Amino acid sequence: MFKPRTPQIFLNGSLAVLLLGAPLALSGCGFQPLYGERAHDPQIQAELKRIYVANIPERVGQQVRLALQQDMAGDGPEDPQGYRLVVQPSIGSEAIDIHADNTSGRVRMNGHAHWMLYTVEQSPKLLAQGDASALDGYTATYEQYFAQTLNTETANGRIAKALADQVTQQVSTWLRTQATPAERRDQGPKAFYPIPNAIPNSEKDTPMEQEGADAIPDMATGRGAPSSTGGL
C-alpha cells in the first residue's frame, strides 16, 4: 500500500546558525521587544496596569474601553492610580459596490480614535496624545434585517478591538521611548453642501452636510457621517 511521504526540511549547519542568531543580530541593531523587560528601563506591563481608562459613552465606546482594559491589565490585577487615558472613538460607513438598482452590495466601515494620556493629580497634565485608525466591512443583506444588524454589530466590535490594540501599542511605545506619537492633521475648514432630498428645518434653514476627508460630500459616495463618542 502506497503511503505518502512526510516532507522534511533539512538545514545545513551555516543556515541553522544564521537563523538561531537572528534575534541576537536584531537586538544588536536596536530592535527590542516592546513589552520585554530590560534593566534601567520602565517596565511596560507594570506601567500599563497603572492606567485608568475613562468612561466612553455608547456601545462602541464600551467595547473600546473593555478591550483597552483587557489589553492593559494583561494577567492582572490592575492598579490604575498613575495615569488617566481619555479615548474618543468614531466609526463611519460608506456604501460601495453600487448595483444598477442603486443598492449596495458592500458596506465599508472606517474607525478612528483620538487618545490623550493625563497624569492623575489635582491639575492633570497632558503627557501624550495620538490617533489610531481601522478599516473593516461586511456584505450588505438588505432582505435579511436580522443578519444585517448582526453584521453591523460584529463589524463594530472588530473595529473597536483593532482601535484598542493600536492605542495600547502607541501608549506602550510612548511609555518606552517618550517619543511623540503621530497625530492626524487637521485639514482646515471644510466645505458644506445642501442636501436636496432632506426636509428643510425652516424657510431659511437648508439642511447641509460637510465634506469628507477626501473633499467629497457624503451623498456622492453613500457615506454616513461618523458617530463620535467622547471620553468622560
Side-chain angles (χ1 to χ4, degrees), residues 28-229:
C29 294
F31 291 93
Q32 298 290 342
L34 178 60
Y35 301 104
E37 297 183 359
R38 296 181 296 177
H40 310 297
D41 278 350
Q43 304 304 315
I44 303 303
Q45 287 289 359
E47 287 296 299
L48 288 176
K49 294 178 181 180
R50 300 181 62 225
I51 297 177
Y52 170 75
V53 183
N55 294 327
I56 310 175
E58 300 186 7
R59 176 56 182 164
V60 172
Q62 294 174 350
Q63 291 176 310
V64 172
R65 185 171 188 258
L66 289 173
L68 283 169
Q69 290 175 321
Q70 183 179 10
D71 288 346
M72 295 184 174
D75 55 354
E78 66 271 21
D79 183 25
Q81 304 294 329
Y83 309 89
R84 180 171 176 264
L85 180 65
V86 176
V87 184
Q88 299 171 333
S90 64
I91 297 180
S93 61
E94 54 187 322
I96 59 178
D97 182 26
I98 306 300
H99 302 163
D101 60 355
N102 205 32
T103 59
S104 169
R106 185 74 178 171
V107 177
R108 182 164 57 195
M109 307 184 70
N110 305 280
H112 173 261
H114 181 72
W115 61 268
M116 295 169 286
L117 187 66
Y118 294 90
T119 59
V120 176
E121 53 186 335
Q122 186 174 0
S123 299
K125 298 177 182 178
L126 178 62
L127 299 175
Q129 59 181 326
D131 292 274
S133 60
L135 181 68
D136 209 309
Y138 58 89
T139 301
T141 51
Y142 294 106
E143 67 280 3
Q144 300 180 19
Y145 300 110
F146 178 78
Q148 181 83 350
T149 301
L150 185 61
N151 287 338
T152 303
E153 293 179 351
T154 303
N156 284 339
R158 292 194 301 266
I159 292 178
K161 183 64 169 65
L163 292 175
D165 292 344
Q166 289 186 38
V167 171
T168 302
Q169 186 178 40
Q170 292 179 14
V171 172
S172 302
T173 302
W174 181 84
L175 291 172
R176 172 75 75 187
T177 65
Q178 305 293 306
T180 303
E183 297 181 35
R184 189 173 67 171
R185 305 180 96 182
D186 187 5
Q187 298 179 351
K190 295 184 178 181
F192 288 84
Y193 300 89
I195 306 176
N197 57 349
I199 300 176
N201 298 326
S202 66
E203 295 180 356
K204 298 181 180 180
D205 187 5
T206 302
M208 307 287 286
E209 71 170 349
Q210 193 176 26
E211 67 179 357
D214 52 5
I216 299 177
D218 293 344
M219 63 181 175
T221 59
R223 211 165 26 201
S227 56
S228 301
T229 59

